[in-house]
Amino acid sequence: LFQATDKWIGGQDKLLGGLLSPDFDERSCIARYKSSFYRKPSLFEVSPYLVQRLREYEKYHKKCGPNSEFYKIAIEQLKSGRNVENTECKYAVFAQGNGLGNRMLAIVSTFLYSILTNRILIVEMKEETKNIFCEPFPESSWELPSDFPIKDLEWKFQRESPESFINLLENRSISLDANVSAESFPPFVFFDAWSNAWHVHGRIFCEDHQKIVQKFTWMITKSDCYYAPALFLYPEFENELRLMFPVKEAMFHHLGRYLFQPTNPVWEMIERFHQTYLTNTDEKIGLQIRIVSYDAPPFEKVYERIIECSEKEKLLPEIGISNLTNSVSNPTKRTSVLVISLFSEYYEKIKSTYYENSTVTGELVSVFQPTHELAQNTFAQFHNQKALAEMYLLSYCDKIATTAMSTFGYIAHGLAGLKPYILMTLNWQIAKPGPVCVQSKSVEPCLHSPPFPMCKPNTRVDPAEAVPYLRTCEDFDNGVKLF
Ligand code: GDP
C-alpha cells in the first residue's frame, strides 16, 4: 500500500521519477504534473544522473537566465561588439524554423547540446510559438527577451552569414590556435544546425572546433532537425550521454516530457477532448495520416495502404459477421480510433465503415478527429496550439500508426514511449515497392540528415556503423536513430 500524498497521482509519481522539478506553481501549468497520467506508466526509467544534470541545469538557468544580473552583463558585452572569455554564464540563443514537430526536435537537440556544453538555452519565440509551451525551468524563463539587441534571428542568419563558425574561420576572424586570445573574437558565433548543414559543419562538434566555440559567451543557433543523436558520434560527449541515457532510445521520451508541457489553454483542449471522447474505452488506436499537400496522392491509394497496413498489423478491429449474440447491447470491448490529419476524408471513411458494418469480435468502435485544418499554417499561434494538442492526444493512444518521415508523428510516439507502426510512403513515394508499414524498432525520432564526422584527416565516420546503438531509420534510408 502506498501512502497517498500530493507527490502521487493515481498511484504514480507525479514527478516522473525525478524528471520534473517540484519547484513550480501547479496552477501556472496544469499539464506539468498531470499530462503523463493519461498514458500507461512509462517503460523507461529516468537515470539518477539525468535527474542530477537537470537539477544542475535549472540552477544554472535561474542564475544566468533572462533578467538575471549575469544576463544583463552579458547583454552589455554583446552590445559592446566583442567577445569576453571565461564568463560565468554562456548562452545558446535558439532560432526556430519549419513546422512544430521540427521545431520541437530541434529545441530538444539544442537543449541537450546546451547541457553538454554548459550553456543557457534561450529560445526566440515569435508570435506563432508564444503561449504553446509552459516555461520549463523554475523561477526563470527560456523566452528570449524582446529587447535582445539582435532582431529576427530566424531570417537574419543563413548558411552564408559571415558570423557562422565556418565563415569566421575562413575569414580568419577566429583561429583554431588554442593560444589565440578569444577576447579578440567577434561578440557571438552563429552555429548553423539546419538540416543538411552537416556537410559544411560536420566538424563543429569535433573537439578542436568545440574548444574554440566554447570560448564564445554568445552562440546563436538555428535548426529544424533532431540532431541530438549525432552527438553520440563525438567522443567528447559520448560518456556524458551514456550516463544520462543508459537506455538510448528513451532520450527524446525523457527530454520531450521534461521540456514540452502544453500551456493551460492547450491543456484544456487536450483534456476536454480526452474526457469527452477517449475515456470509457478499452483501447485507443491512433492513426496519424500526414499528407504533404504539394504532393498529395489520390485519397483511394492512401486509404488502400492504410487498410492494408491495418490488416497486416491487426491495428483496426476487423470488419465481419460476429458470432456473438447481443454484441451491440452488451459489447465485448469498446475501441476508440483517433484520426489525426489535416483532412477529414480518412476519418469520414473509417467512421462510416464501422457504422455500416459489425466487427468480427463484436467490439464497438468509435472514431474521432479533433480538427481538419486543411493546410499547414506554421505562422498562426492557434493553429500551432491545436497541432500540439493533437500530438498529445495521439500520444495517449495504446497503439499508434504514424506516417513515415513525419516529425509530427515522431513527437507523438516519442512522448508516448511507444514503438509506432510506420505507414510507409504515403506521399511522393507512394508507388515505391516494399511493405506498406513496419513497426519501428525504437521509440526514438529519426535524424534525417546525420553528419559524417571527420575529426581527424581520413577518418570519415559512417553514423549508421560507428556506434552499435545508431541504426538506419525504417522510414528513411539516409537517416539514423537511436535504438
Ligand atoms: P511534419 O511536416 O509532418 O514533419 O510535421 P511538422 O509538425 O514539422 O509540420 C507540419 C505542420 O502542419 C504541423 O506542425 C501543423 O502545423 C500542421 N499539421 C500537419 N498535420 C496536422 C494534423 O494532423 N493536425 C493539425 N492540427 N495540424 C497538422
Side-chain angles (χ1 to χ4, degrees):
L1 268 180
F2 72 91
Q3 181 81 48
T5 71
D6 62 355
K7 265 201 79 191
W8 300 86
I9 294 181
Q12 292 182 53
D13 171 18
K14 75 177 189 186
L15 301 180
L16 308 179
L19 185 70
L20 304 180
S21 157
D23 298 338
F24 283 99
D25 169 9
E26 297 199 28
R27 286 160 308 176
S28 66
C29 178
I30 297 165
R32 183 170 345 256
Y33 301 123
K34 214 174 166 190
S35 65
S36 289
F37 297 100
Y38 284 110
R39 299 185 192 109
K40 296 198 173 113
S42 171
L43 297 174
F44 302 98
E45 269 182 37
V46 181
S47 81
Y49 190 67
L50 175 61
V51 172
Q52 181 192 325
R53 290 304 306 262
L54 290 174
R55 294 299 92 79
E56 283 166 5
Y57 177 83
E58 287 160 3
K59 262 198 208 146
Y60 180 43
H61 196 106
K62 187 177 156 193
K63 177 175 132 188
C64 303
N67 300 323
S68 68
E69 282 310 308
F70 285 106
Y71 178 81
K72 287 177 195 154
I73 295 168
I75 288 286
E76 288 313 310
Q77 172 254 299
L78 184 63
K79 285 184 184 161
S80 77
R82 65 183 187 94
N83 183 48
V84 174
E85 213 179 332
N86 300 323
T87 42
E88 250 183 280
C89 304
K90 292 187 190 298
Y91 299 88
V93 178
F94 177 74
Q96 324 185 30
N98 254 330
L100 190 65
N102 289 78
R103 289 167 188 240
M104 292 167 77
L105 295 178
I107 290 175
V108 162
S109 305
T110 309
F111 177 56
L112 185 61
Y113 175 71
S114 301
I115 292 184
L116 291 170
T117 57
N118 218 23
R119 285 185 183 274
I120 300 294
L121 171 68
I122 309 184
V123 182
E124 180 186 47
M125 299 282 183
K126 301 274 198 56
E127 206 41 42
E128 72 265 18
T129 42
K130 285 190 195 280
N131 303 321
I132 294 182
F133 305 115
C134 298
E135 289 286 354
F137 313 125
E139 296 174 73
S140 188
S141 174
W142 71 340
E143 202 168 317
L144 186 68
S146 57
D147 59 359
F148 189 70
I150 310 166
K151 304 284 176 220
D152 212 4
L153 309 179
E154 182 190 345
W155 303 112
K156 187 173 171 70
F157 293 102
Q158 313 295 338
R159 187 141 318 154
E160 52 284 351
S161 299
E163 300 90 346
S164 90
F165 183 76
I166 294 296
N167 293 336
L168 290 180
L169 261 187
E170 257 170 31
N171 304 335
R172 298 176 191 277
S173 302
I174 56 175
S175 149
L176 287 183
D177 180 350
N179 297 321
V180 172
S181 163
E183 303 278 328
S184 64
F185 285 5
F188 67 90
V189 62
F190 168 54
F191 166 37
D192 177 10
W194 202 257
S195 34
N196 301 331
W198 310 114
H199 62 281
V200 233
H201 281 286
R203 280 193 68 190
I204 195 159
F205 295 125
C206 299
E207 211 174 346
D208 56 343
H209 282 204
Q210 275 301 307
K211 275 195 180 139
I212 306 306
V213 173
Q214 271 311 90
K215 292 184 173 192
F216 280 94
T217 294
W218 288 97
M219 164 190 271
I220 293 176
T221 175
K222 181 170 144 177
S223 177
D224 64 341
C225 67
Y226 187 50
Y227 66 88
L231 299 171
F232 275 96
L233 296 169
Y234 298 85
E236 72 271 24
F237 299 135
E238 199 194 349
N239 202 31
E240 275 291 294
L241 289 169
R242 277 173 194 266
L243 290 170
M244 282 195 264
F245 304 103
V247 179
K248 316 283 178 306
E249 69 165 318
M251 191 158 83
F252 179 83
H253 177 59
H254 292 326
L255 293 181
R257 288 182 310 156
Y258 173 76
L259 281 180
F260 301 122
Q261 304 300 339
T263 50
N264 289 351
V266 182
W267 176 247
E268 278 168 25
M269 283 195 291
I270 298 171
E271 207 172 29
R272 198 157 40 234
F273 191 91
H274 195 279
Q275 293 294 72
T276 310
Y277 302 109
L278 298 174
T279 44
N280 303 325
T281 185
D282 299 300
E283 189 173 34
K284 290 174 272 191
I285 301 171
L287 294 181
Q288 184 236 359
I289 305 164
R290 172 77 170 110
I291 303 299
V292 180
S293 45
Y294 57 80
D295 199 9
F299 165 76
E300 290 74 21
K301 276 259 172 253
V302 176
Y303 190 76
E304 218 173 78
R305 292 186 77 107
I306 294 168
I307 296 305
E308 205 181 317
C309 168
S310 166
E311 285 171 359
K312 175 172 160 257
E313 301 292 349
K314 308 218 172 320
L315 277 177
L316 296 173
E318 194 183 341
I319 299 296
I321 310 290
S322 170
N323 293 331
L324 302 169
T325 48
N326 281 337
S327 68
V328 172
S329 49
N330 195 10
T332 52
K333 180 179 172 189
R334 286 179 186 271
T335 300
S336 296
V337 177
L338 176 69
V339 179
I340 298 293
S341 178
L342 286 174
F343 307 102
S344 61
E345 61 253 66
Y346 302 96
Y347 154 75
E348 295 287 355
K349 177 105 182 181
I350 296 169
K351 189 180 73 164
S352 342
T353 304
Y354 288 105
Y355 174 58
E356 291 162 10
N357 300 278
S358 58
T359 55
V360 173
T361 51
E363 69 198 276
L364 293 183
V365 181
S366 39
V367 187
F368 308 106
Q369 179 174 25
T371 68
H372 53 279
E373 295 275 292
L374 296 174
Q376 174 167 346
N377 193 3
T378 290
F379 300 108
Q381 188 185 111
F382 190 36
H383 171 85
N384 287 332
Q385 289 182 321
K386 286 186 274 185
L388 180 64
E390 286 169 46
M391 290 171 183
Y392 255 84
L393 287 167
L394 198 57
S395 82
Y396 292 152
C397 291
D398 304 301
K399 283 184 194 163
I400 307 177
T402 52
T403 302
M405 292 189 67
S406 169
T407 58
F408 185 116
Y410 294 166
I411 303 289
H413 70 73
L415 290 174
L418 285 181
K419 296 180 168 73
Y421 297 90
I422 308 173
L423 295 160
M424 301 293 275
T425 61
L426 289 194
N427 290 294
W428 49 92
Q429 301 158 308
I430 192 130
K432 200 179 156 189
V436 281
C437 63
V438 290
Q439 189 172 14
S440 172
K441 293 198 182 62
S442 156
V443 308
E444 268 281 291
C446 173
L447 160 58
H448 291 159
S449 49
F452 287 75
M454 197 163 69
C455 294
K456 294 192 185 108
N458 304 322
T459 54
R460 189 173 189 267
V461 171
D462 182 340
E465 304 283 324
V467 283
Y469 37 81
L470 265 183
R471 290 200 225 140
T472 303
C473 305
E474 295 88 351
D475 56 340
F476 190 54
D477 291 344
N478 293 338
V480 289
K481 68 181 177 189
L482 292 165
F483 285 79

